[in-house]
PDB file of all heavy atoms in Angstrom:
ATOM      1  N   MET A   1      10.677  -8.367 -12.253  1.00  0.00           N
ATOM      2  CA  MET A   1      11.209  -8.526 -10.877  1.00  0.00           C
ATOM      3  C   MET A   1      12.562  -9.216 -10.943  1.00  0.00           C
ATOM      4  O   MET A   1      12.656 -10.392 -11.241  1.00  0.00           O
ATOM      5  CB  MET A   1      10.189  -9.329 -10.062  1.00  0.00           C
ATOM      6  CG  MET A   1      10.569  -9.648  -8.630  1.00  0.00           C
ATOM      7  SD  MET A   1      10.996  -8.300  -7.544  1.00  0.00           S
ATOM      8  CE  MET A   1       9.379  -7.652  -7.155  1.00  0.00           C
ATOM      9  N   SER A   2      13.571  -8.462 -10.700  1.00  0.00           N
ATOM     10  CA  SER A   2      14.912  -8.992 -10.931  1.00  0.00           C
ATOM     11  C   SER A   2      15.514  -9.555  -9.652  1.00  0.00           C
ATOM     12  O   SER A   2      16.608 -10.089  -9.674  1.00  0.00           O
ATOM     13  CB  SER A   2      15.811  -7.889 -11.482  1.00  0.00           C
ATOM     14  OG  SER A   2      15.923  -6.866 -10.513  1.00  0.00           O
ATOM     15  N   ASN A   3      14.796  -9.415  -8.528  1.00  0.00           N
ATOM     16  CA  ASN A   3      15.501  -9.743  -7.292  1.00  0.00           C
ATOM     17  C   ASN A   3      15.713 -11.239  -7.123  1.00  0.00           C
ATOM     18  O   ASN A   3      14.924 -12.090  -7.516  1.00  0.00           O
ATOM     19  CB  ASN A   3      14.837  -9.005  -6.111  1.00  0.00           C
ATOM     20  CG  ASN A   3      14.174  -9.905  -5.109  1.00  0.00           C
ATOM     21  OD1 ASN A   3      14.739 -10.908  -4.707  1.00  0.00           O
ATOM     22  ND2 ASN A   3      12.974  -9.534  -4.741  1.00  0.00           N
ATOM     23  N   ILE A   4      16.866 -11.529  -6.532  1.00  0.00           N
ATOM     24  CA  ILE A   4      17.369 -12.901  -6.519  1.00  0.00           C
ATOM     25  C   ILE A   4      16.514 -13.809  -5.634  1.00  0.00           C
ATOM     26  O   ILE A   4      16.356 -14.992  -5.914  1.00  0.00           O
ATOM     27  CB  ILE A   4      18.849 -12.896  -6.080  1.00  0.00           C
ATOM     28  CG1 ILE A   4      19.482 -14.268  -6.308  1.00  0.00           C
ATOM     29  CG2 ILE A   4      18.992 -12.477  -4.634  1.00  0.00           C
ATOM     30  CD1 ILE A   4      20.990 -14.228  -6.289  1.00  0.00           C
ATOM     31  N   PHE A   6      13.346 -13.706  -5.249  1.00  0.00           N
ATOM     32  CA  PHE A   6      12.179 -14.106  -6.042  1.00  0.00           C
ATOM     33  C   PHE A   6      12.556 -15.246  -6.990  1.00  0.00           C
ATOM     34  O   PHE A   6      11.840 -16.239  -7.101  1.00  0.00           O
ATOM     35  CB  PHE A   6      11.681 -12.879  -6.812  1.00  0.00           C
ATOM     36  CG  PHE A   6      10.391 -13.089  -7.530  1.00  0.00           C
ATOM     37  CD1 PHE A   6       9.176 -13.019  -6.848  1.00  0.00           C
ATOM     38  CD2 PHE A   6      10.377 -13.356  -8.891  1.00  0.00           C
ATOM     39  CE1 PHE A   6       7.986 -13.209  -7.511  1.00  0.00           C
ATOM     40  CE2 PHE A   6       9.180 -13.546  -9.559  1.00  0.00           C
ATOM     41  CZ  PHE A   6       7.982 -13.474  -8.873  1.00  0.00           C
ATOM     42  N   GLN A   7      13.711 -15.094  -7.652  1.00  0.00           N
ATOM     43  CA  GLN A   7      14.178 -16.138  -8.585  1.00  0.00           C
ATOM     44  C   GLN A   7      14.380 -17.471  -7.877  1.00  0.00           C
ATOM     45  O   GLN A   7      14.016 -18.526  -8.402  1.00  0.00           O
ATOM     46  CB  GLN A   7      15.500 -15.706  -9.242  1.00  0.00           C
ATOM     47  CG  GLN A   7      15.425 -14.411 -10.027  1.00  0.00           C
ATOM     48  CD  GLN A   7      14.378 -14.414 -11.119  1.00  0.00           C
ATOM     49  OE1 GLN A   7      13.969 -15.464 -11.604  1.00  0.00           O
ATOM     50  NE2 GLN A   7      13.909 -13.227 -11.492  1.00  0.00           N
ATOM     51  N   GLN A 137       7.187 -13.876  -2.808  1.00  0.00           N
ATOM     52  CA  GLN A 137       7.821 -12.652  -2.315  1.00  0.00           C
ATOM     53  C   GLN A 137       8.269 -12.889  -0.876  1.00  0.00           C
ATOM     54  O   GLN A 137       7.506 -13.431  -0.081  1.00  0.00           O
ATOM     55  CB  GLN A 137       6.814 -11.495  -2.315  1.00  0.00           C
ATOM     56  CG  GLN A 137       6.268 -11.155  -3.685  1.00  0.00           C
ATOM     57  CD  GLN A 137       7.174 -10.210  -4.447  1.00  0.00           C
ATOM     58  OE1 GLN A 137       8.290  -9.926  -4.019  1.00  0.00           O
ATOM     59  NE2 GLN A 137       6.699  -9.741  -5.580  1.00  0.00           N
TER      60      GLN A 137
END
Side-chain angles (χ1 to χ4, degrees):
Chain A
M1 178 56 77
S2 63
N3 114 45
I4 191 163
F6 187 80
Q7 301 303 337
Q137 299 275 9

